[in-house]
């Protein structure tokens, strides 16, 4: 009887770095020096599953601070523009990528609405689709989905929780008052 063996699948090596923040640990995954995943710790298992769906077998290796890591550290220390230079490696539909590109154009200290982004992308009726693309953003904070608020300016919808969103916006000086929870 002839036995067949399965070819082993290649494992994608991703570097992993974790950062202490006032609102909990932020963990990032990097491939070839570009961030392909970033989320706060309790959200990390879902992101790790998404990375496996994207890359197949992965191996996460704790790594020393990378150039991206230094920029995240600088951002957390108050250099609010430091994230702008971070390269990302994301996989999404053309529409999702357009939304994520639009998010990266929101200036530090500013907010916008789902409707504003939909209009910027040429389809004012795509508000829910913009919200969904925002919700599946694999590189939270770096692609600043926290800068999107409701059309009336109220905080809404952040997978990491509204307290984190509030902290990020206060850190970036987009809001200065403590808003009710």
């Amino acid at each position: 009887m002839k036995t067949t063996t399965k070819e082993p699948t290649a494992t994608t090596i991703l570097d992993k770095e974790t950062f202490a923040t006032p609102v909990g640990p932020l963990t990032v995954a990097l491939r070839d020096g570009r961030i392909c995943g970033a989320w706060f710790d309790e959200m990390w298992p879902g992101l790790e599953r998404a990375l496996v769906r994207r890359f197949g077998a992965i191996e996460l290796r704790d790594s020393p601070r990378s150039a991206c890591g230094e920029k995240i550290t600088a951002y957390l220390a108050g250099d609010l523009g430091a994230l702008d230079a971070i390269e990302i490696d994301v996989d999404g539909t053309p529409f999702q990528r357009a939304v994520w590109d639009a998010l990266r154009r929101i200036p530090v200290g500013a907010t916008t609405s789902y409707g504003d982004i939909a209009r910027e992308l040429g389809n004012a009726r795509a508000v829910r689709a913009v919200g969904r693309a925002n919700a599946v953003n694999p590189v939270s904070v770096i692609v600043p989905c926290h800068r999107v608020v409701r059309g009336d300016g109220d905080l809404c919808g952040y997978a990491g929780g509204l307290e984190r969103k509030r902290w990020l916006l206060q850190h970036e000086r987009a809001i200065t008052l403590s808003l009710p929870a």
Side-chain angles (χ1 to χ4, degrees):
M1 190 193 282
K2 185 176 180 182
T3 306
T4 59
T5 57
K6 255 184 146 175
E7 288 291 319
T9 58
T11 299
T12 301
I13 306 296
L14 301 176
D15 293 318
K16 179 180 172 185
E17 298 179 36
T18 301
F19 304 86
T21 80
V23 288
L26 173 70
T27 300
V28 300
L30 300 102
R31 182 172 74 145
D32 300 325
R34 295 171 36 179
I35 293 182
C36 57
W39 259 111
F40 291 97
D41 272 12
E42 72 277 358
M43 304 297 292
W44 183 258
L47 180 59
E48 191 170 353
R49 285 189 297 275
L51 292 170
V52 167
R53 281 191 304 276
R54 178 178 176 197
F55 296 117
I58 63 171
E59 180 182 336
L60 291 164
R61 293 187 182 165
D62 289 327
S63 68
R65 286 288 179 253
S66 65
C68 289
E70 294 301 326
K71 291 171 185 157
I72 292 169
T73 300
Y75 167 82
L76 292 169
D79 180 359
L80 302 178
L83 300 181
D84 294 341
I86 292 177
E87 289 187 55
I88 61 173
D89 175 2
V90 293
D91 185 40
T93 67
F95 182 80
Q96 289 170 330
R97 293 171 74 92
V99 169
W100 300 334
D101 287 344
L103 294 174
R104 288 202 89 182
R105 289 190 296 273
I106 304 168
V108 171
T111 59
T112 193
S113 72
Y114 299 104
D116 289 338
I117 293 172
R119 283 186 291 280
E120 178 184 334
L121 297 178
N123 185 352
R125 295 174 43 151
V127 174
R128 286 181 183 244
V130 167
R132 181 69 188 136
N134 207 33
V136 298
N137 168 16
V139 285
S140 175
V141 181
I142 291 41
V143 170
C145 51
H146 59 276
R147 295 180 190 158
V148 180
V149 297
R150 285 193 341 205
D152 64 5
D154 283 346
L155 296 186
C156 63
Y158 188 64
L162 289 184
E163 283 306 310
R164 280 198 180 110
K165 183 173 191 158
R166 182 176 291 110
W167 182 86
L168 288 162
L169 291 173
Q170 286 174 331
H171 178 66
E172 295 180 354
R173 299 173 186 91
I175 59 174
T176 55
L177 302 174
S178 292
L179 301 174

